[in-house]
């Protein structure tokens, strides 16, 4: 049923478009009256005489804003344009309006409703007559009323008194409705931006529900803009409203890097008064629909701060983040959540440096050795300095290390410093530099 209904309305719309387009072509082909400011145009459907053009104008001030233009048949100067208006009481164009001489075109403005004729004459040329209806579409503005609000959004009701325009059959006085695709569109706007747009076919003037589900903070302005069947817009009075819809929103930077990776969290949540951050090890531990207690059993960390401090991921892996927010700004508590759509990827560091070693010959931790992903290194260089800046050892093979001796003698226990440089095999190649200190302990 829905498919048939949509097809029927599509055929009606196509038919109306063909009629309107045919009227435009007839205007241009016969040097007829045109109306560039009209919002809608079609042809009359007289019962017994030749049809005329019908032009509809959006008249928001209600004083008559119609404007017709007549161009000379050959596009040259020297033509006289005589405008008259139809008098229905005598069925003739007896009301003289204006006559302009020696022109190539003539424009008539601020016209009220009615049937207008222009007769174009030029010496030695055949007189040309063109006729058109002007209908000014003035109407009462739509009505917008506030209904209610809840955790889903702000609700309104809107209505509009649709007006059907008519012209008079010729030569009798029967009123005929303008042929049009009977479609009215309601647009709920907040601060001039549409939040809900709904078309209604054969609208009967009844109230329609309107809804804005977006979260925002503070007072904002709502209006209902109705586009009627003639393409004219009418705007309701303004309503000031707020909302207590809550929205969880955040982003992280960076999303990828080597361990230890320090990640900054930026909280952009709206209307939230309570925050719970959940940090997960992998996606499999991120089920939906769990209570906060069940969630807590599956997380690495639960933090209740509004702004999550920069968090350092010490180990490689894929990490997910979920933020659950709540708002108590309204009579009910509203809840929303956001899960990071892509994981934070922490790669294993190409260079991992121990901070202490004990070269005492017990076979455990006797070599200060750098842990590297040697398969991913193009080159490697490590230098160890004492506290006076003297080089005590250096090597280029990442599989080697320092045994705690200087010139064959045991080095003095204490703090030593290192500089490690490495070049990866990426394209383009990336150079890594790491500096720091470590302790040599003998026990």
């Amino acid at each position: 049923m829905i498919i048939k209904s949509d097809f029927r309305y599509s055929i009606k719309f196509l038919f109306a478009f063909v009629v309107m387009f045919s009227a435009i072509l007839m205007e241009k082909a016969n040097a007829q009256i045109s109306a560039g400011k009209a919002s809608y145009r079609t042809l009359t459907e007289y019962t017994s005489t030749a049809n005329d053009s019908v032009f509809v104008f959006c008249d928001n001030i209600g004083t008559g804003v119609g404007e017709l233009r007549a161009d000379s048949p050959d596009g040259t100067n020297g033509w006289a344009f005589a405008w008259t208006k139809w008098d229905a009481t005598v069925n003739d164009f007896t009301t003289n309006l204006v006559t302009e001489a020696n022109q190539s075109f003539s424009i008539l403005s601020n016209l009220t409703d009615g049937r207008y004729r222009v007769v174009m004459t030029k010496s030695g040329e055949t007189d040309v007559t063109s006729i058109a209806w002007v209908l000014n579409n003035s109407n009462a503005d739509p009505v917008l009323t506030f209904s209610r609000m809840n955790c889903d959004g702000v609700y309104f009701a809107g209505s509009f008194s649709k007006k059907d325009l008519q012209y008079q059959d010729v030569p009798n006085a029967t009123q005929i409705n303008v042929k049009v695709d009977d479609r009215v569109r309601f647009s709920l706007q907040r601060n001039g931006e549409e939040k809900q747009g709904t078309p209604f076919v054969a609208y009967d003037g009844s109230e329609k529900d309107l809804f804005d589900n977006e979260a925002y903070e503070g007072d904002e302005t709502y209006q209902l803009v109705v586009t009627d069947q003639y393409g004219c817009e009418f705007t309701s009075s303004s309503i000031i409203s707020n909302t207590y819809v809550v929205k969880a929103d955040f982003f992280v930077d960076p999303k990828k890097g080597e361990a230890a990776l320090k990640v900054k969290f930026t909280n952009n949540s709206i209307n939230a008064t309570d925050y719970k951050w959940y940090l997960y090890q992998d996606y499999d531990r991120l089920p939906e629909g769990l209570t906060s207690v069940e969630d807590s059993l599956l997380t690495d960390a639960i933090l209740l701060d509004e702004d999550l401090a920069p968090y350092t991921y010490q180990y490689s892996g894929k990490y997910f983040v979920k933020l659950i927010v709540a708002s108590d700004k309204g009579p009910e508590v509203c809840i929303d959540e956001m899960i990071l759509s892509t994981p934070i990827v922490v790669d294993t560091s190409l260079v991992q440096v121990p901070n202490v070693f004990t070269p005492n010959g017990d076979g455990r931790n006797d070599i200060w050795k750098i842990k590297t992903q040697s398969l991913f290194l193009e080159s490697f260089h490590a230098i160890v300095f004492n506290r006076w800046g003297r080089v005590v050892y250096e090597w280029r093979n990442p599989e080697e290390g320092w045994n705690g001796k200087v010139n064959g003698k045991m080095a003095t226990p204490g703090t030593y410093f290192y500089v490690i440089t490495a070049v990866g095999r990426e394209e383009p190649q990336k150079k890594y530099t790491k500096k720091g200190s470590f302790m040599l302990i003998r026990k």
Side-chain angles (χ1 to χ4, degrees):
M1 291 299 292
I2 294 177
I3 295 176
K4 291 181 180 179
S5 176
D6 287 345
F7 180 75
R8 182 172 68 252
Y9 292 131
S10 298
I11 292 298
K12 288 176 62 181
F13 178 78
L14 179 61
F15 178 74
F17 175 78
V18 170
V19 170
M20 182 176 68
F21 188 67
S22 299
I24 297 172
L25 291 179
M26 288 179 63
E27 294 169 30
K28 295 185 180 296
N30 299 319
Q32 292 184 337
I33 294 174
S34 62
K37 295 183 179 180
S39 66
Y40 183 78
R41 61 191 68 193
T42 186
L43 293 175
T44 60
E45 295 182 315
Y46 297 145
T47 55
S48 60
T49 59
N51 289 316
D52 299 325
S53 295
V54 178
F55 299 105
V56 177
F57 299 85
C58 301
D59 185 7
N60 297 100
I61 59 178
T63 61
V65 295
E67 181 177 286
L68 299 178
R69 172 177 174 139
D71 288 275
S72 62
D74 59 6
T76 64
N77 289 321
W79 288 82
F81 296 81
W83 292 91
T84 54
K85 187 176 182 181
W86 176 264
D87 186 345
T89 60
V90 296
N91 289 330
D92 200 359
F93 289 95
T94 59
T95 306
N96 294 316
L97 299 176
V98 66
T99 299
E100 294 183 314
N102 196 30
Q103 302 291 323
S104 63
F105 67 91
S106 179
I107 297 177
L108 217 56
S109 301
N110 299 320
L111 302 179
T112 57
D113 292 356
R115 187 177 183 225
Y116 293 84
R117 182 182 71 181
V118 62
V119 179
M120 294 168 278
T121 60
K122 185 179 183 180
S123 177
E125 302 285 348
T126 302
D127 293 352
V128 177
T129 300
S130 186
I131 301 173
W133 281 91
V134 167
L135 297 177
N136 290 282
N137 184 20
S138 58
N139 207 336
D141 289 332
V143 176
L144 180 68
T145 57
F146 172 81
S147 296
R148 68 187 189 282
M149 70 173 70
N150 57 25
C151 286
D152 295 323
V154 185
Y155 296 79
F156 299 88
S159 62
F160 177 67
S161 298
K162 185 178 67 175
K163 180 179 180 181
D164 293 321
L165 299 179
Q166 297 178 324
Y167 57 89
Q168 184 177 311
D169 196 2
V170 176
N172 63 57
T174 305
Q175 295 296 310
I176 302 175
N177 285 339
V178 174
K179 184 189 307 180
V180 70
D181 179 42
D182 190 8
R183 190 181 297 265
V184 173
R185 188 176 189 276
F186 280 28
S187 172
L188 178 66
Q189 299 187 1
R190 171 159 53 86
N191 293 342
E193 180 181 350
E194 181 174 277
K195 297 304 172 183
Q196 179 187 347
T198 308
F200 299 104
V201 177
Y203 173 64
D204 59 3
S206 60
E207 277 195 342
K208 299 297 182 180
D209 293 329
L210 303 166
F211 176 58
D212 180 11
N213 66 347
E214 289 186 2
Y216 61 88
E217 295 180 333
D219 291 338
E220 298 201 354
T221 301
Y222 286 91
Q223 288 179 307
L224 171 61
V225 177
V226 174
T227 305
D228 71 2
Q229 66 271 41
Y230 308 108
C232 296
E233 288 188 353
F234 300 91
T235 303
S236 73
S237 299
S238 299
I239 292 179
I240 305 298
S241 182
N242 53 38
T243 186
Y244 54 85
V245 173
V246 65
K247 179 182 179 181
D249 186 28
F250 68 93
F251 70 87
V252 301
D253 184 55
K255 287 188 175 181
K256 185 176 181 180
E258 295 180 26
L261 181 64
K262 188 175 184 180
V263 177
K264 179 183 178 181
F265 294 79
T266 301
N267 183 7
N268 294 320
S269 299
I270 300 173
N271 281 330
T273 55
D274 182 71
Y275 306 82
K276 290 182 180 178
W277 297 85
Y278 298 87
L279 309 184
Y280 295 84
Q281 287 183 339
D282 53 56
Y283 190 76
D284 293 337
R285 298 179 67 185
L286 193 63
E288 297 180 356
L290 297 181
T291 66
S292 59
V293 174
E294 291 170 322
D295 264 338
S296 68
L297 301 177
L298 301 171
T299 60
D300 296 317
I302 305 176
L303 304 174
L304 306 181
D305 300 327
E306 175 179 350
D307 294 314
L308 191 62
Y311 188 85
T312 300
Y313 291 89
Q314 299 289 349
Y315 305 103
S316 63
K318 294 182 178 180
Y319 294 87
F320 284 81
V321 181
K322 178 167 72 174
L323 172 61
I324 298 179
V325 297
S327 172
D328 59 3
K329 292 186 176 182
E332 55 187 328
V333 176
C334 304
I335 298 175
D336 189 41
E337 71 174 47
M338 175 185 169
I339 299 173
L340 196 64
S341 58
T342 57
I344 298 170
V345 178
V346 183
D347 293 331
T348 301
S349 176
L350 288 178
V351 179
Q352 297 183 44
V353 183
N355 57 12
V356 65
F357 85 119
T358 57
N360 55 11
D362 64 357
R364 295 182 301 173
N365 200 22
D366 285 336
I367 304 296
W368 191 75
K369 185 177 181 180
I370 311 301
K371 295 181 180 179
T372 68
Q373 295 187 53
S374 58
L375 292 178
F376 299 99
L377 291 181
E378 183 71 23
S379 64
F380 172 87
H381 185 205
I383 305 176
V384 176
F385 304 86
N386 61 21
R387 58 183 176 175
W388 294 282
R390 178 186 174 188
V391 176
V392 297
Y393 194 74
E394 62 180 307
W395 66 104
R396 295 183 181 275
N397 184 350
E399 301 300 321
E400 297 178 359
W402 182 39
N403 61 5
K405 294 182 179 180
V406 179
N407 296 325
K409 297 180 180 180
M410 292 293 184
T412 304
T415 301
Y416 288 81
F417 302 88
Y418 64 87
V419 175
I420 299 169
T421 57
V423 176
R425 297 182 183 273
E426 303 99 325
E427 292 292 342
Q429 290 181 333
K430 181 178 177 181
K431 184 176 181 179
Y432 300 86
T433 300
K434 194 157 190 155
K435 301 178 182 179
S437 62
F438 64 94
M439 292 291 296
L440 187 158
I441 301 174
R442 297 191 189 281
K443 55 181 179 178

